[in-house]
Amino acid sequence: APGFTGAPAPPGAPVPPGAPQVPHHAPPPPRDTTGHVPLPPGDTVGMPSAPPAAGTYDTTTTTLAVLLIGPAGAGKTSVAKYWADHRRVPTAHISLDDVREWVRSGFADPQSGWNDSSEAQYRLARRTCGFAARNFLANGISCILDDAVFPDRPVVGLGGWKRHVGPGLLPVVLLPGLEIVLERNAERTGNRRLTDEEVARIHGRMAGWYGSGLPIIDNSQLDVPSTARLLDDVLSRSIASPPQW
């Protein structure tokens, strides 16, 4: 063709009048990563795919996000750690109490009274846990979080966890009898140990989960390994028929 030289003009060369304009595409934005580890996307975590009707869901080999709920002394931390330790896929345990206590100077201890500062630190810790969970999940690592979520406090309860992690979070309530949580609380030290009156008050409020539609495990007569095995059974049923929350 007339005027065709057979070679593209060098970068920065002037374009002759009447020559077709070649669009310049901006380079794609860099992926949001830390080293080779992708950071979580903006979207929250969706529900795992349910198995066929005739099949069973093997939770031990699936990447999951679990929220273990219960009163002080229910055994949440022990069960969560054991469950995470014995999974066949990488699994992280994230305890909201541990994250709250990252604040050293100026820590607002709820035992001194629930106020604006303790609520703000709770919300901040929950948001931090949510980001950490999504970060692990984005890299194929399951998560089990534990928190004493109250059924009568929706503002700082399940709604916040769903907002920060996503609808794919699977909540399970661990609720042994009052005498059991009193015994376990008596073995605690520091600010993790509550008065008997406070333990009884919290346990009574947790009874509101009955009738909520969430799965509840009474581990009064179960050791930690047995409770963890039952947790897997409950999670399998929750994936097949997700609870409404």
Side-chain angles (χ1 to χ4, degrees):
F4 178 69
T5 64
V15 179
Q21 298 293 318
V22 179
H24 294 281
H25 297 287
R31 288 188 65 194
D32 195 6
T33 62
T34 301
H36 66 282
V37 180
L39 297 178
D43 294 337
T44 52
V45 178
M47 280 295 298
S49 300
T56 57
Y57 204 100
D58 185 3
T59 60
T60 64
T61 59
T62 306
T63 303
L64 297 175
V66 179
L67 175 63
L68 199 57
I69 299 168
K76 298 186 301 296
T77 299
S78 297
V79 172
K81 286 182 176 179
Y82 184 93
W83 186 82
D85 284 344
H86 293 80
R87 301 253 298 152
R88 286 186 287 183
V89 293
T91 303
H93 169 229
I94 304 173
S95 170
L96 182 124
D97 279 343
D98 288 346
V99 175
R100 279 197 312 110
E101 292 175 4
W102 287 354
V103 179
R104 307 304 296 177
S105 178
F107 176 67
D109 189 348
Q111 291 188 53
S112 303
W114 188 263
N115 53 38
D116 290 345
S117 294
S118 54
E119 180 161 328
Q121 290 185 11
Y122 175 89
R123 290 174 183 267
L124 178 60
R126 185 182 59 199
R127 189 164 66 245
T128 302
C129 290
F131 176 81
R134 286 169 51 210
N135 203 358
F136 281 121
L137 292 161
N139 288 276
I141 298 176
S142 291
C143 287
I144 182 166
L145 306 103
D146 69 74
D147 182 21
V149 180
F150 292 108
D152 56 352
R153 288 296 302 276
V155 174
V156 294
L158 280 183
W161 282 113
K162 179 183 280 190
R163 184 169 63 253
H164 293 305
V165 180
L169 184 64
L170 300 172
V172 178
V173 181
L174 203 60
L175 192 56
L178 176 58
E179 67 283 356
I180 300 297
V181 297
L182 286 170
E183 290 175 8
R184 293 173 181 168
N185 178 69
E187 299 171 356
R188 294 183 167 196
T189 59
N191 66 354
R192 296 290 180 95
R193 181 171 181 173
L194 307 178
T195 65
D196 287 352
E197 293 76 16
E198 182 70 4
V199 170
R201 186 183 68 83
I202 292 173
H203 187 273
R205 290 175 66 187
M206 288 287 176
W209 287 119
Y210 285 104
S212 68
L214 295 190
I216 297 176
I217 296 175
D218 181 349
N219 60 326
S220 299
Q221 305 301 321
L222 300 175
D223 59 12
V224 171
S226 298
T227 306
R229 287 193 294 271
L230 184 55
L231 176 59
D232 272 323
D233 293 340
V234 168
L235 292 172
S236 181
R237 292 195 297 270
S238 290
I239 294 169
S241 181
Q244 300 299 314
W245 63 289

